[in-house]
Amino acid sequence: MAGASSFILSLLALLTLLPHPSFAGDIRHYKFDIKLQNVTRLCKTKSMITVNGKYPGPRILAREGDNLLINVTNYVSNNISIHWHGIRQLQTGWADGPAYITQCPIQTGQSYVYNFTIIGQRGTLWWHAHISWIRSTLHGAIIILPKRGIPYPFPKPYKEAPIIFGEWFNADTQAIIRQALQNGGGPNVSDAYTINGLPGLLYNCSKKDTYKLKVKPGKTYLLRLINAALNDELFFSIANHTLTVVEVDAIYVKPFETKTLLITPGQTTNVLLKTKSSSPLADFLMLARPYATGQGTFDNTTVAGLLKYKGSRKNLPLFRPILPALNDTKFATNFTKRLRSLANSQFPANVPQKIDKRFYFTVGLGTNPCNLNNQTCQGPNGTKFSASINNVSFVLPRTALLQSHFFGKSKDVYSSNFPYSPSKWFNFTGNPPNNTMVSNGTKTLVLPFNTQVELVLQDTSILGIESHPFHLHGFNFFVVGQGFGNYDPTNDPNKFNLKDPVERNTVGVPPGGWVAIRFLADNPGVWFMHCHLEVHTSWGLKMAWVVLDGDLPNQKLHPPPADLPKC
Ligand code: C2O
């Protein structure tokens, strides 16, 4: 008897060790070794930071409900941290990954196991390094299949293929951003865009480095698009084919057809590609090139992949899609307005209806004084480029925010007085003010558990209007409204879509306009929010939310794992 009861007790102890009460999937182990690898593109060889020597990095394949254990070991001289972009990380903020926000980086020779469970999510997400500009070479797909026996809410595809857009730099991206932050000017732009690591036949010396998608006629393919580029939103199209958008950021949407789509850094988009009923006498280019709205220079080149029908002859004519103009905001607006949540009984859109807290954040560029001795900086009028939210340019601390929050030692690390709304009001989308200087600080906003939040992100015209793809960690949000000019708190809310707005983790703030999002703060921890254009993040276009524990056990942040890296 005693033996049996102690057996039951140890069984119970074992059960409480399981990662999450709703855990019901498999345990999947991955090993990520961060190491240097020589890679040649555009006839230039460079030694780049990779996971397991791969570029792009390995694909993570899981099912909804699975527990992932990813053992990351750092064999390079740089500090590393990895973010699982779009994964909710319910109660497991320690595994989220942004350096100095939820963890100190993994130092050379050290390891850290990212341990998290995928709860209530299925679709395409991605992982990337979350420190400085290392994500240019350190990224890969996360594919989350629905639970066993649960079908997609669209026709079952014959085959699936990830399409990862990246940016290739001949030079070392770490050196590029270090130099730019020093002299205050804009960083050098990339030398090519890539599809699954390949620039494609429109670049010099790249014909053999072209991604080829070989298809059979009369079939449906699921393409999982991921924009892993550092600094550029992209238009994408395949010649003579129509795409059906079925999911964004691992949330199903009401399917709609389009020839061209827009995808910002941070976003993912699943599309169905229906092939022609018989093999056509042609090959088809798939192209991506930027949607660019700012004043600065950018890489305006075009990446190409090939859609080829199996068994088709050689030297067939090559069809080319027509992409929107580089600054076609009209196309961008019309495309994003078509995105709607599926919002059915199986996949409801739980839009917060009773808002507890409203925030109004201006986002845009600005300047900091030059701090070089006897030299002028290369930013506007001899200043240094900066960027801010409500005029606060975020300064990364030397230790991680989450630790200091959890152990009650935040006093010297961050303050909790990030402004709810701009401290100085002006016509945000009219003539910019003469003083473009930002203030600098490590400021956060504290939210009690289960706060229903509405946040309006307002672009400013300081140093030019520009689209900003905003990403929130730890949550999905609903995009309830958007518009141009200044947000009007009296009239604009009447036009909000509170029924089936798209739910996602990254949204473009329109150039010279605003976007309104809503989310439920049901995940305790410290959650980064930033522009996913890496140059803007580097300049300070970022902030963090501190979400407090709730009363119930499943509303509390877990204690930190024993191997959490130290600063
Ligand atoms: Cu994909 Cu904080 O980033």
Side-chain angles (χ1 to χ4, degrees):
M1 263 335 264
S5 66
S6 76
F7 170 72
I8 288 169
L9 274 179
S10 52
L11 198 69
L12 277 174
L14 200 74
L15 279 173
T16 56
L17 282 177
L18 284 176
H20 193 274
S22 66
F23 171 68
D26 297 333
I27 299 181
R28 290 179 199 254
H29 293 269
Y30 281 89
K31 199 161 158 38
F32 275 25
D33 288 339
I34 312 292
K35 52 185 186 188
L36 293 175
Q37 176 74 36
N38 281 339
V39 177
T40 306
R41 297 288 186 271
L42 313 175
C43 286
K44 299 256 172 22
T45 301
K46 76 172 188 176
S47 167
M48 58 162 66
I49 302 176
T50 63
V51 168
N52 303 344
K54 295 214 174 94
Y55 170 69
R59 178 184 315 175
I60 292 213
L61 182 65
R63 249 178 222 290
E64 179 181 346
D66 284 356
N67 177 209
L68 297 187
L69 293 161
I70 303 152
N71 188 342
V72 180
T73 306
N74 182 3
Y75 294 104
V76 299
S77 57
N78 310 64
N79 282 341
I80 297 290
S81 81
I82 295 187
H83 170 50
W84 318 92
H85 179 116
I87 298 275
R88 294 274 335 258
Q89 300 290 5
L90 288 160
Q91 301 179 266
T92 53
W94 308 105
D96 191 41
Y100 303 107
I101 304 297
T102 61
Q103 68 165 98
C104 297
I106 307 167
Q107 297 177 18
T108 310
Q110 303 292 307
S111 298
Y112 178 44
V113 179
Y114 289 88
N115 179 350
F116 57 89
T117 298
I118 301 171
I119 298 163
Q121 296 184 279
R122 77 299 297 165
T124 306
L125 293 170
W126 62 301
W127 57 266
H128 61 78
H130 209 306
I131 181 164
S132 189
W133 280 25
I134 292 175
R135 78 174 174 86
S136 67
T137 63
L138 219 60
H139 57 253
I142 301 177
I143 294 169
I144 310 164
L145 302 174
K147 285 189 173 156
R148 244 177 268 283
I150 306 226
Y152 295 129
F154 44 81
K156 187 178 182 328
Y158 171 68
K159 278 208 168 118
E160 308 189 357
I163 305 265
I164 307 177
F165 302 107
E167 249 181 306
W168 169 271
F169 293 78
N170 287 333
D172 171 28
T173 51
Q174 292 303 97
I176 291 174
I177 186 58
R178 203 181 312 124
Q179 191 197 15
L181 292 178
Q182 228 159 54
N183 67 32
N188 291 345
V189 300
S190 54
D191 297 284
Y193 296 101
T194 53
I195 292 179
N196 295 337
L198 302 168
L201 47 85
L202 301 182
Y203 293 99
N204 280 338
C205 204
S206 296
K207 196 152 192 258
K208 63 168 194 346
D209 291 329
T210 301
Y211 170 70
K212 294 185 189 78
L213 180 64
K214 296 200 176 125
V215 295
K216 284 188 180 167
K219 303 273 188 218
T220 299
Y221 291 78
L222 177 66
L223 306 184
R224 298 174 176 271
L225 313 178
I226 296 167
N227 188 346
L230 284 190
N231 294 318
D232 299 85
E233 306 187 33
L234 296 168
F235 291 124
F236 173 75
S237 187
I238 305 179
N240 294 50
H241 288 74
T242 300
L243 304 168
T244 306
V245 179
V246 291
E247 181 215 299
V248 296
D249 296 3
I251 297 282
Y252 296 129
V253 297
K254 293 196 171 80
F256 67 94
E257 291 188 349
T258 186
K259 292 244 174 243
T260 301
L261 57 85
L262 173 67
I263 185 165
T264 81
Q267 291 182 336
T268 56
T269 307
N270 279 5
V271 297
L272 297 177
L273 167 71
K274 214 164 155 8
T275 56
K276 305 203 177 291
S277 53
S278 60
S279 272
L281 293 174
D283 289 335
F284 305 93
L285 281 173
M286 54 178 87
L287 300 181
R289 72 166 184 190
Y291 163 52
T293 52
Q295 313 274 293
T297 49
F298 62 98
D299 176 356
N300 64 1
T301 62
T302 305
V303 56
L306 268 181
L307 178 72
K308 282 175 97 56
Y309 281 74
K310 277 183 187 152
S312 63
R313 284 189 284 118
K314 281 201 169 146
N315 300 318
L316 289 172
L318 192 55
F319 282 64
R320 193 186 169 122
I322 299 165
L323 287 167
L326 293 165
N327 61 357
D328 196 342
T329 293
K330 205 165 166 220
F331 179 92
T333 311
N334 288 337
F335 175 77
T336 51
K337 279 197 173 156
R338 296 179 72 189
L339 294 165
R340 305 264 156 156
S341 289
L342 203 49
N344 60 18
S345 55
Q346 198 185 356
F347 301 103
N350 297 317
V351 188
Q353 302 286 341
K354 202 187 87 15
I355 296 303
D356 303 306
K357 281 197 175 153
R358 291 193 153 82
F359 302 94
Y360 184 52
F361 287 1
T362 58
V363 300
L365 302 188
T367 54
N368 257 320
C370 188
N371 55 357
L372 299 175
N373 297 327
N374 317 316
Q375 258 179 295
T376 43
C377 285
Q378 289 171 25
N381 302 316
T383 63
K384 292 183 117 171
F385 267 117
S386 180
S388 70
I389 302 175
N390 280 345
N391 214 43
V392 179
S393 183
F394 190 90
V395 178
L396 280 181
R398 282 168 206 279
T399 183
L401 299 183
L402 188 58
Q403 274 106 315
S404 35
H405 160 65
F406 186 82
F407 293 109
K409 292 195 179 126
S410 60
K411 208 164 64 35
D412 302 324
V413 181
Y414 66 88
S415 69
S416 303
N417 59 350
F418 193 93
Y420 276 49
S421 57
S423 32
K424 274 201 218 92
W425 287 71
F426 58 97
N427 178 359
F428 301 118
T429 50
N431 286 333
N434 292 329
N435 182 357
T436 58
M437 291 293 172
V438 299
S439 73
N440 301 281
T442 310
K443 299 186 177 184
T444 68
L445 271 171
V446 178
L447 298 171
F449 187 80
N450 265 347
T451 306
Q452 307 200 50
V453 178
E454 181 179 284
L455 168 62
V456 176
L457 296 162
Q458 171 74 58
D459 184 35
T460 75
S461 55
I462 300 176
L463 304 178
I465 59 167
E466 185 167 5
S467 166
H468 296 281
F470 247 72
H471 172 48
L472 174 62
H473 288 226
F475 304 92
N476 288 325
F477 50 74
F478 293 91
V479 184
V480 296
Q482 66 175 77
F484 289 96
N486 299 331
Y487 172 67
D488 172 353
T490 320
N491 295 307
D492 284 327
N494 300 327
K495 293 172 241 159
F496 283 178
N497 174 5
L498 303 178
K499 272 213 188 79
D500 65 348
V502 68
E503 181 182 354
R504 59 188 325 170
N505 64 57
T506 306
V507 69
V509 180
W514 56 270
V515 65
I517 63 173
R518 288 186 175 190
F519 66 95
L520 175 67
D522 61 353
N523 192 8
V526 176
W527 304 108
F528 211 15
M529 188 176 80
H530 58 91
C531 177
H532 219 289
L533 303 181
E534 212 52 49
V535 52
H536 293 172
T537 314
S538 301
W539 286 341
L541 233 181
K542 52 197 177 197
M543 60 82 70
W545 303 90
V546 177
V547 178
L548 304 178
D549 280 350
D551 294 332
L552 302 173
N554 65 354
Q555 299 176 338
K556 293 184 197 307
L557 176 66
H558 294 167
D563 60 344
L564 186 72
K566 295 192 175 56
C567 279

